[in-house]
Amino acid sequence: MLMGLTSGGIGSFIGTPSELALVRMSNDKKLPVDQRRNYKGVGNCIARIAKEEGAPALFTGAPATVLRACLLSACAMGITSEIKMRLSTTGYFGEGGKAFGGVPMLFCATLVSSFCANTVANPFDVVKSRMQSSAAEYGSMVDCFVKTVADEGVLKLWSGFVPAFLKLAPYTVISLLLTDHITKIITGKEAL
């Protein structure tokens, strides 16, 4: 879990400017024509944010982005290991979960962990997107959480869950299957 938390946090912090550009560019089309920024691409968007709003603005929503990624990665890694360990004793996946090279068991474990990770991280994804699209409305990540729940109800924090899960599940399954198998090839030990 610690390695997932650490790698998720570092990677998401470095990627915050591009994540911000993605959110801004997506929301630009929703604005009235006179308020649109008409970005020409990700590079143009990042350069203009830095020039027009200052370099620190590139990290708008960074706390929510980093916390989301830390939770997502820690849950995916930790829960996959736990479920894999428990499934290996059931006998459904062969002796010690080794049927077909352990792929079916690891597939099931990563699918469940992906669902759990998305459940935990989705509220932070909603807050991150709201802060990055209209940061002026919110004083902080906590302020955004409170206003979202007060104005739209607690379930709003899980809006977009299905598309987010459908995007995350294949990524998690493929990346953790590859991680586990490449680690076995190189070290002879399981990664998860």
Side-chain angles (χ1 to χ4, degrees), residues 3 12 42 66 80 101 106 144-145 172 187:
M3 293 309 292
S12 66
V42 175
V66 170
T80 297
L106 191 54
C144 186
F145 265 111
T172 305
T187 67

Side-chain angles (χ1 to χ4, degrees), residues 14-143:
I14 292 168
T16 295
S18 59
E19 183 77 26
L20 174 64
L22 174 70
V23 171
R24 291 271 185 99
M25 289 171 61
S26 296
N27 287 332
D28 201 44
K29 293 179 171 99
K30 298 175 189 174
L31 295 172
V33 176
D34 61 320
Q35 293 178 11
R36 291 184 186 166
R37 296 177 178 107
N38 298 313
Y39 298 117
K40 291 176 177 63
V42 175
N44 174 256
C45 182
I46 291 172
R48 284 184 50 197
I49 291 169
K51 182 180 177 185
E52 296 167 13
E53 301 172 41
L58 291 171
F59 292 91
T60 300
T65 302
V66 170
L67 190 51
R68 173 199 169 273
C70 286
L71 291 170
L72 189 81
S73 298
C75 286
M77 300 286 280
I79 293 171
T80 297
S81 290
E82 181 67 24
I83 292 183
K84 183 180 166 189
M85 183 182 71
R86 290 175 186 256
L87 288 176
S88 69
T89 63
T90 65
Y92 294 128
F93 300 96
E95 187 178 329
K98 303 290 185 208
F100 301 102
V103 172
M105 180 183 64
L106 191 54
F107 175 84
C108 291
T110 54
L111 195 60
V112 170
S113 75
S114 181
F115 181 84
C116 295
N118 203 55
T119 301
V120 169
N122 206 86
F124 296 94
D125 203 21
V126 169
V127 168
K128 171 196 71 72
S129 294
R130 286 176 176 231
M131 291 186 71
Q132 290 178 331
S133 64
S134 53
E137 289 183 39
Y138 308 106
S140 67
M141 181 174 66
V142 173
D143 183 46

Side-chain angles (χ1 to χ4, degrees), residues 106-108 110-111 114 168-178:
L106 191 54
F107 175 84
C108 291
T110 54
L111 195 60
S114 181
L168 179 66
Y171 165 80
T172 305
V173 169
I174 292 167
S175 63
L176 293 182
L177 276 167
L178 287 173

Side-chain angles (χ1 to χ4, degrees), residues 173-191:
V173 169
I174 292 167
S175 63
L176 293 182
L177 276 167
L178 287 173
T179 298
D180 198 57
H181 283 282
I182 291 170
T183 301
K184 279 182 197 172
I185 291 167
I186 294 171
T187 67
K189 299 176 185 176
E190 294 181 348

